Amino acid sequence: MNAGAERHILILGGTTEARRLAEELAADPALRVTSSLAGRVAAPRLPAGEVRIGGFGGPEGLAHWLREQQVAALIDATHPFAGTISFNAARAAAAVGVPLLAVRRPGWVAGPGDDWRDVASLADAARALPAMGERVFLTTGRMGLGAFAHLEDKWFLVRSVDAPEPPAPPRMEVLLDRGPFTLDGERELLRRHAIDVLVTKDSGAAATAAKLTAAREAGVPVVVVRRPPVPEGVPEVPGPAEAAAWLRETPGGR
C-alpha cells in the first residue's frame, strides 16, 4: 500500500458492536472501512462504510480477499455464537500476515435470585426441558429449532428476527421482533404466555438481557447455552472503543 493511501479495515460484523465500530472508523478519511455480513437476516441493519454480504468460501477464500483488497487490519466483531467464522478469520489472518483483533462482548453472569442451568448446546438444552417446564420461551434465534422438534408435549414461544423454517416444534407460536427489549415488555411476555422456563444463548450485551431480569423476578428458571470455543492467541477487547484504540496502536492498522 502506498504511503498516504487509505488503510483498508475489514470488520466481520452483524452485531451492534460492529456497527458502532464501523460508524466511528468510517468518519476517519484515512480509513476505508468494509463490513462483512453473513446474510442470514433478510433485512440487516447496514453499518456505515462499504458493505459486503455473504461468505468468503472458508479461510482460503477469506485470505484471498484480504490479499486482493489489500486489507491492513481485520476485526472479528461477529456474534459470540458465530464460531466458524472466528476460526476462519484466525487462519486467514495468520496466512496473510494481517493483524487480527476480536471484539468479544462479556458474557452474562448469574446473580442473586437467578435460577440458571448451564448447558453446552441446543441439544443439551432440549434434554433439560422435560424436567423443567411446559411453556417455553425460546430466544435462541431461528436457527437450530430442530433440536426441539421432538418435544411434542411442550409449547414454545419462539422469538426471532426472521421467520423460522422446519424442522421446528409442533406446538409453537412465533414472535418476529428485534431487540433491544424493555424490561416491562419482557415481564408482559412471560405473564401473557404463562411462561415457566426460558431458553437462551449466552449472547451477552444489554439489548437482550431484560428477559433474564424478568425471569428472575417471576421465578422462572433459565437454560443458558454457553458459548462455543474461540481461537487461542487472538487478542480480545470488550467493545468498539477499545477496538478503535487497538487500531490506532497497531502497525499498518492506521
Side-chain angles (χ1 to χ4, degrees):
M1 184 177 294
N2 296 329
E6 290 179 319
R7 305 245 182 226
H8 191 184
I9 312 302
L10 175 61
I11 301 173
L12 304 177
T15 61
T16 299
E17 292 85 356
R19 288 192 299 274
R20 290 175 178 168
L21 179 60
E23 182 178 8
E24 179 174 349
L25 299 184
D28 188 337
L31 299 178
R32 173 190 170 196
V33 180
T34 300
S35 295
S36 177
L37 309 181
R40 292 181 177 177
V41 176
R45 294 173 176 170
L46 297 181
E50 301 175 28
V51 178
R52 70 174 303 280
I53 297 178
F56 290 93
E60 294 80 10
L62 177 54
H64 175 76
W65 200 92
L66 294 175
R67 290 192 192 97
E68 183 181 59
Q69 297 296 320
Q70 299 183 28
V71 171
L74 174 60
I75 300 179
D76 175 12
T78 54
H79 191 276
F81 283 82
T84 299
I85 186 60
S86 294
F87 281 92
N88 288 351
R91 291 176 58 187
V96 180
V98 169
L100 169 64
L101 177 75
V103 179
R104 305 202 194 283
R105 64 178 72 149
W108 290 318
V109 178
D114 285 319
D115 181 7
W116 291 9
R117 323 290 171 85
D118 290 351
V119 296
S121 66
L122 292 176
D124 287 344
R127 282 190 283 270
L129 284 180
M132 295 187 65
E134 302 299 323
R135 297 181 64 82
V136 184
F137 186 17
L138 191 58
T139 65
T140 56
R142 67 186 181 91
M143 310 294 288
L145 291 187
F148 305 90
H150 64 287
L151 298 176
E152 299 180 356
D153 59 335
K154 307 294 181 185
W155 181 88
F156 290 85
L157 175 64
V158 175
R159 182 165 66 193
S160 63
V161 175
D162 294 321
E165 299 177 355
R171 301 176 59 211
M172 176 181 72
E173 179 176 332
V174 176
L175 175 61
L176 299 182
D177 204 354
R178 189 199 303 259
F181 303 106
T182 66
L183 179 55
D184 285 343
E186 301 294 63
R187 287 168 174 158
E188 174 59 18
L189 274 182
L190 297 185
R191 185 200 62 78
R192 184 168 73 247
H193 295 283
I195 298 298
D196 56 13
V197 61
L198 166 66
V199 179
T200 189
K201 291 179 177 178
D202 178 22
S203 58
T208 57
K211 62 193 172 191
L212 301 173
T213 302
R216 179 174 65 245
E217 292 177 349
V220 170
V222 182
V223 180
V224 180
V225 181
R226 289 305 179 187
R227 298 178 179 185
V230 295
E232 296 181 359
V234 177
E236 299 181 6
V237 295
E242 295 85 356
W246 172 87
L247 195 58
R248 288 192 295 269
E249 299 167 359
T250 300
R254 190 164 186 168

